[in-house]
Amino acid sequence: MNFTVEGKAITQDYHVPGGMFGGAKTVRALKGVDFAVEQGKTLAIVGESGSGKSTLARIIALIDAPSSGELRMDGDVVDISRRRPGRGLRSKVQMVFQNPYGSLNPRQKIGDVLMEPMVINTSVSTAERQERAEAMLVKVGLGPEHFNRYPHMFSGGQRQRIAIARALMLNPTLLVLDEPVSALDLSVQAQVLNLLADLQEEFNLTYVFVSHDLSVVKYIADDVMVMSQGEVVEKGSREEVFANPTHPYTQQLFAATPVTNIEAIRARVERRRALRMGKTG
Ligand code: ADP
Ligand code: MG
C-alpha cells in the first residue's frame, strides 16, 4: 500500500513548570501513536479537547519534531532530529489552522500572502508569481480583484479560503487541517468543506483533518482515528467507526454529539453541487 504519510510509535513530551523543587515536569501529550494515510484520502482525527490532536497535527505538518517515533513521507523516513526538514519536503506538506485571521498578517496584502511561499522556496519570476497567485485566488472561489486587499476586508469564510490558497501555492501533496471550519457559521462551513473536497479531487491531495465535530468528520473522512488522552482508542473506515463505535470512549463521544449538523451540511453541499452542474452543462 502506498501511504503518503505514516507514523509509528509517535510520542511527544512537553516540559512544563510545576515539577518538584521548582523544576519542570513532563506531560506526555502523545503516548505512542500509529497512523497512516493513503494518497488522495482523508484521515480525520477526532477526540475531546486536550487529547493530543493538535500536537499530532503539528508533528505531521513537520512544524514540531516528536520526542520519539518514526515518521515517513512518501516512503522515506523523515529525520526527526533535524528541526528544519529540507525545502522539497517542506513544500509538500502544508498546514491550515482554525483561525485564519490569526494566521494572516493584517498589514500584508492578499497577493503578497500568496506569493510569499514562492519568494522563499522557488526562483519563480515576479510576473509569474503574480499570475499563479491570481489563478489560485480563482481556484478557491475568490478573484484577481482581491489581490491588493487586506485580510480585514474579508469575511471569516473568505479568510479561510485565502489560508487554503496560501497552503496550495507550492503544490503540496499533504494538507494538515486543524479544525479548519470550527470557527465558521454552519452555512459557510458547508461551502469551505465543499471547496476542500473539490480541491482534493483536482490535485489528488491527502488530508489529515482534525475536528471535534463528528458531523464534519462524517462528511469529509475516509478513515477516522479517535484519540483520548494521547492515545488512539479507535480507528477504521468512516463506515466502520460510525456504524459500530466499539470503544467506550467513542460511544460516549458519539452519544454526546448532535447529529443534526451533518444533514444540514450535506443538504447545502448537494444543492450547491447541483446548481453548479446545471450552470456548466
Ligand atoms: P487537542 O488539540 O486535542 O485539544 P493538544 O494537542 O492541544 O490537544 O494538547 C494535548 C495535551 O498537551 C494537553 O494536555 C495540553 O495541555 C498539552 N500541551 C499542548 N501544547 C502544549 C505546550 N506547548 N506546552 C505544554 N503543554 C502542551
Ligand atoms: Mg487542538
Side-chain angles (χ1 to χ4, degrees):
M1 197 73 69
N2 188 16
F3 295 118
T4 295
V5 53
E6 200 175 356
K8 289 217 173 80
I10 303 282
T11 72
Q12 185 69 299
D13 294 333
Y14 291 115
H15 304 287
V16 295
M20 294 239 274
F21 312 113
K25 66 174 183 184
T26 301
V27 175
R28 177 146 286 192
L30 297 176
K31 300 169 184 167
V33 170
D34 296 341
F35 69 92
V37 202
E38 277 176 69
Q39 189 176 356
K41 302 282 187 197
T42 299
L43 171 68
I45 302 176
V46 290
E48 68 196 336
S49 175
S51 57
K53 304 183 299 295
S54 293
T55 299
L56 182 60
R58 293 173 64 84
I59 290 169
I60 299 173
L62 308 176
I63 293 170
D64 292 340
S67 302
S68 68
E70 184 182 274
L71 192 65
R72 284 177 178 267
M73 297 273 173
D74 294 324
D76 298 324
V77 176
V78 178
D79 183 357
I80 55 176
S81 62
R82 281 172 53 205
R83 285 240 153 217
R84 296 205 146 270
R87 247 191 201 182
L89 190 55
R90 185 62 277 192
S91 61
K92 281 188 165 183
V93 185
Q94 296 291 323
M95 186 146 181
V96 175
F97 297 93
Q98 174 175 352
N99 177 358
Y101 204 49
S103 64
L104 294 171
N105 177 347
R107 278 183 289 274
Q108 199 175 24
K109 288 179 181 171
I110 297 314
D112 294 324
V113 169
L114 297 192
M115 293 192 297
E116 191 173 62
M118 285 186 286
V119 175
I120 299 168
N121 291 282
T122 70
S123 49
V124 173
S125 72
T126 312
E128 183 164 358
R129 282 203 292 268
Q130 174 149 358
E131 208 170 286
R132 285 199 204 172
E134 287 179 355
M136 190 56 79
L137 280 173
V138 175
K139 275 260 178 275
V140 300
L142 298 168
E145 72 274 16
H146 295 121
F147 194 85
N148 284 314
R149 298 194 192 159
Y150 291 93
H152 75 266
M153 302 163 97
F154 294 89
S155 68
Q158 287 175 321
R159 280 179 209 144
Q160 201 53 299
R161 288 173 189 272
I162 293 163
I164 292 165
R166 175 175 57 184
L168 293 177
M169 287 312 298
L170 297 174
N171 300 318
T173 56
L174 173 66
L175 282 196
V176 179
L177 305 122
D178 192 352
E179 307 268 10
V181 300
S182 301
L184 305 175
D185 291 344
L186 212 55
S187 63
V188 181
Q189 282 192 19
Q191 292 165 9
V192 173
L193 289 173
N194 194 17
L195 170 67
L196 286 169
D198 290 346
L199 292 169
Q200 180 169 44
E201 203 176 297
E202 180 170 355
F203 298 114
N204 195 24
L205 293 166
T206 308
Y207 289 163
V208 171
F209 193 107
V210 172
S211 181
H212 67 275
D213 185 343
L214 290 179
S215 55
V216 169
V217 170
K218 196 166 184 181
Y219 174 68
I220 197 107
D222 293 297
D223 292 318
V224 177
M225 182 162 107
V226 183
M227 294 189 60
S228 178
Q229 297 178 27
E231 287 178 291
V232 177
V233 293
E234 180 145 3
K235 71 177 137 184
S237 72
R238 172 186 60 185
E239 288 73 17
E240 285 163 6
V241 173
F242 274 84
N244 184 26
T246 53
H247 194 277
Y249 171 75
T250 314
Q251 291 168 346
Q252 209 183 318
L253 185 73
F254 277 40
T257 305
V259 288
T260 46
N261 288 13
I262 180 64
E263 299 310 330
I265 286 177
R266 250 185 218 292
R268 283 198 186 91
V269 167
E270 290 306 324
R271 264 205 305 279
R272 210 189 126 211
R273 266 233 161 98
L275 213 73
R276 209 175 31 191
M277 301 280 265
K279 255 189 232 156
T280 52

